[in-house]
Amino acid sequence: MTSTPALDEAACYAAASSRDRRFDGVFYVAVRTTGIYCRPSCPARTPARHNVTFHRTAASAQGAGYRACKRCLPDATPGSPEWDVAADVAGRAMRLVADGVVDREGVDGLARRIGYTPRHLTRLLVRELGAGPLALARARRAQTARTLVETTELGFTDVAFAAGFSSVRQFNDTLREVYRASPTELRARRAAGRGPASSTTAGELCLRLAVRTPYAAGALVDFLGYHVVPGLEAAGPGWYARTLDLPHGPGTVRVEPPSSLEREQAGRTAFVIARFRLASLLDTSAAVERTRRLLDADADPGPVDALLGRDALLAPLVAARPGLRVPGQVDGDETAIRTVIGQQVSVAGARTVTARIVAAHGRAVRLAEPGLTHLFPRACVLAEVDPATLPMPRARGRALVGLAAALAGDDLWLDRGADRAEVRARLLALPGIGPWTADYVAMRALADPDVFLPTDVGVRTAARNLGRDLEAVLARTPAWSPWRSTALLHLWQTLIPPLAPAPDLSPDAQTKD
């Protein structure tokens, strides 16, 4: 187990004194004299050193009795990029808490996913993060509730349950304690100058998801659009949409990242628009967290671009796409199964086969987002399929069904709460799963930032197009660690064409035809 290093308080104070935005979300500054906690970049005057303490999480600051600053909104920052790099127990737990595991399954469920006893996990998180699972979940609920109160027209009862609270009273008490404001007072802030709320109807939400800039939004949408599976996903210039199989019912998300984020000043916090349609508002936290994973929203592009930009081969690619992200996933099982489908076939071929499997075995849903008709088949469904009926070579069909059976059990988790080395070993033990498949799954499903695929056909093609010998390219990869996944994406991105406009699938357009 890797222990999270202790905060260097001198370095933290220096970052806060310089209002360095790059540290927003990495730690929080609590001020004894005011009783509030802030982002390091808060524009307020930095107090004397003896009047401040530093916390790894908003939950830790709240647990110490501090309330969130109304000026800099510290709990609205992107999460710490360290969680994905370190992949330690604390980081894995943070991701599962954000997905709502504690709200749905309790501390026992979270501990089971991590592989610890509840008591030991709580003790570890308090030591590493300054707060236990219940406090971390409470801080997440408070942040979700504040966002919904200030940016939507949802009634407070709907907000309370959408944020994961068990009662309206608990919702009211928590917001008053954390923000020193009632829900009514928080909503009044919008009327006082924060702009109008999004238009919201039952089950529909339009939220702003915080990201660090620069953010290569166009490249990410192009990548996702290049791999779109009809019925499951849709995409066009500047947007991507897909269905979501959530704990309480189906949903959809449509993300619309502003292209201007690519050239924003490094270190700033900016926002991606996400439009959700949910069968149950209880799934709000899960839908938001899975979308953030898909967008790699917690990454810090500064050190990544700085390292890769020093390489002669990658420097022009980094300059062309600053802030490039590694697309994640909304469902680890889906990612693994789609990776097996894509073994040794073209992207177009994989899309066609996957669409046939989705149509045959996925759950049909009626949702308002045009072009989205099915959820991806669950592993337990595919585990019962006769491999001979799948539209692929028999051996690959057996591999897919075997993988689905393993995922349907309780010994293989792909939800970012799993240990990467252990997952890789278990994947390689399955028939038909080789290093390329296991490592691609680690990169996309487990957010491993340091994956490179030396046998990948796309790497070979990109090297040739860049006028480089493959062996010479591979010899450079050790210097790209610990961000070889982003380096791989830079090479792949040279092969991905910009998205063409998607066909208009709205009922009005179909009527005109």
Side-chain angles (χ1 to χ4, degrees):
M1 179 184 69
T2 302
S3 178
T4 304
L7 287 171
D8 182 332
E9 295 196 354
C12 289
Y13 189 73
S17 298
S18 63
R19 297 179 177 81
D20 194 330
R21 293 187 179 97
R22 293 174 298 176
F23 292 92
D24 287 355
V26 177
F27 69 88
Y28 299 84
V29 184
V31 185
R32 292 189 178 98
T33 52
T34 62
I36 66 172
Y37 72 95
C38 304
R39 311 182 187 212
S41 67
C42 183
R45 184 175 65 86
T46 305
R49 172 68 186 84
H50 64 273
N51 283 328
V52 298
T53 59
F54 303 100
H55 300 262
R56 283 198 176 277
T57 62
S60 173
Q62 292 170 18
Y66 295 94
R67 67 184 185 276
C69 174
K70 296 179 180 179
R71 187 172 182 181
C72 70
L73 301 177
D75 57 339
T77 61
S80 172
E82 294 180 1
W83 304 139
D84 284 340
V85 176
D88 57 8
V89 173
R92 289 155 51 198
M94 285 289 286
R95 296 303 187 199
L96 293 177
V97 168
D99 193 66
V101 169
V102 172
D103 296 334
R104 296 191 300 271
E105 304 175 25
V107 177
D108 288 351
L110 176 66
R112 185 173 60 253
R113 298 279 193 102
I114 299 293
Y116 285 72
T117 65
R119 183 176 179 181
H120 182 60
L121 178 63
T122 298
R123 185 167 56 246
L124 183 149
L125 293 180
V126 170
R127 184 179 74 239
E128 301 287 341
L129 304 178
L134 291 176
L136 293 168
R138 179 176 180 268
R140 171 63 65 169
R141 287 195 294 271
Q143 194 276 328
T144 300
R146 182 192 59 76
T147 299
L148 294 176
V149 166
E150 293 186 346
T151 63
T152 76
E153 296 288 1
L154 288 173
F156 292 151
T157 299
D158 287 336
V159 169
F161 293 109
F165 289 100
S166 58
S167 70
V168 175
R169 179 177 180 178
Q170 184 187 57
F171 157 73
N172 286 325
D173 291 346
T174 298
L175 263 61
R176 286 193 179 96
E177 181 178 340
V178 172
Y179 301 111
R180 298 292 171 90
S182 68
T184 301
E185 290 168 332
L186 288 173
R187 182 156 282 177
R189 292 183 189 177
R190 182 184 67 228
R194 294 203 175 184
S198 61
S199 58
T200 305
T201 59
E204 296 185 15
L205 297 170
C206 179
L207 301 178
R208 302 191 309 163
L209 307 185
V211 297
R212 294 179 180 86
T213 57
Y215 188 87
L220 184 137
V221 169
D222 286 345
F223 182 94
L224 295 173
Y226 189 56
H227 296 84
V228 154
V229 173
L232 180 73
E233 302 166 294
W239 64 273
Y240 165 83
R242 64 156 296 139
T243 57
L244 301 170
D245 192 356
L246 298 164
H248 298 94
T252 65
V253 62
R254 176 182 171 118
V255 293
E256 302 170 4
S259 59
S260 61
L261 297 185
E262 293 197 26
R263 301 294 172 181
E264 290 274 5
Q265 179 183 349
R268 291 188 56 212
T269 298
F271 300 92
V272 170
I273 301 300
R275 303 180 188 278
F276 297 96
R277 300 178 188 271
L278 307 175
S280 171
L281 287 174
L282 293 173
D283 285 322
T284 300
S285 292
V288 169
E289 171 60 15
R290 295 177 194 193
T291 302
R292 292 188 63 83
R293 292 192 316 229
L294 180 69
L295 300 176
D296 198 15
D298 291 328
D300 182 355
V304 182
D305 287 0
L307 176 72
L308 301 182
R310 290 196 294 266
D311 183 89
L313 173 65
L314 296 180
L317 307 183
V318 173
R321 299 180 182 87
L324 185 68
R325 299 306 207 269
V326 179
Q329 46 83 13
V330 298
D331 184 272
D333 291 1
E334 175 191 322
T335 299
I337 291 167
R338 289 177 65 166
T339 304
V340 170
I341 295 172
Q343 290 176 346
Q344 299 178 340
V345 298
S346 67
V347 171
R351 290 173 55 180
T352 299
V353 172
T354 306
R356 292 174 61 185
I357 292 174
V358 167
H361 303 288
R363 182 153 57 102
V365 290
R366 291 191 174 187
L367 301 164
E369 192 69 42
L372 304 184
T373 60
H374 286 76
L375 300 174
F376 193 82
R378 291 180 176 175
C380 59
V381 173
L382 293 177
E384 301 297 325
V385 172
D386 180 354
T389 66
L390 294 172
M392 60 182 63
R394 190 71 56 88
R396 195 179 309 145
R398 289 194 296 267
L400 189 153
V401 173
L403 170 63
L407 294 170
D410 290 330
D411 59 345
L412 183 58
W413 298 87
L414 299 178
D415 55 9
R416 284 203 184 184
D419 180 86
R420 290 171 184 160
E422 185 177 328
V423 168
R424 189 177 193 276
R426 290 184 176 179
L427 285 173
L428 291 175
L430 296 174
I433 305 294
W436 183 92
T437 300
D439 289 339
Y440 186 90
V441 170
M443 179 177 67
R444 294 289 307 278
L446 304 182
D448 189 335
D450 203 26
V451 169
F452 198 82
L453 305 176
T455 62
D456 184 74
V457 174
V459 170
R460 184 182 302 276
T461 304
R464 183 174 63 248
N465 291 349
L466 293 170
R468 303 299 180 103
D469 179 78
L470 177 62
E471 295 305 318
V473 171
L474 298 182
R476 311 173 81 99
T477 59
W480 301 341
S481 183
W483 290 297
R484 286 180 289 185
S485 297
T486 305
L488 178 62
L489 259 292
H490 273 295
L491 295 176
W492 279 347
Q493 206 68 40
T494 65
L495 309 175
I496 296 176
L499 277 173
D504 188 348
L505 299 176
S506 66
D508 289 345
Q510 294 175 7
T511 300
K512 293 175 183 177
D513 291 341

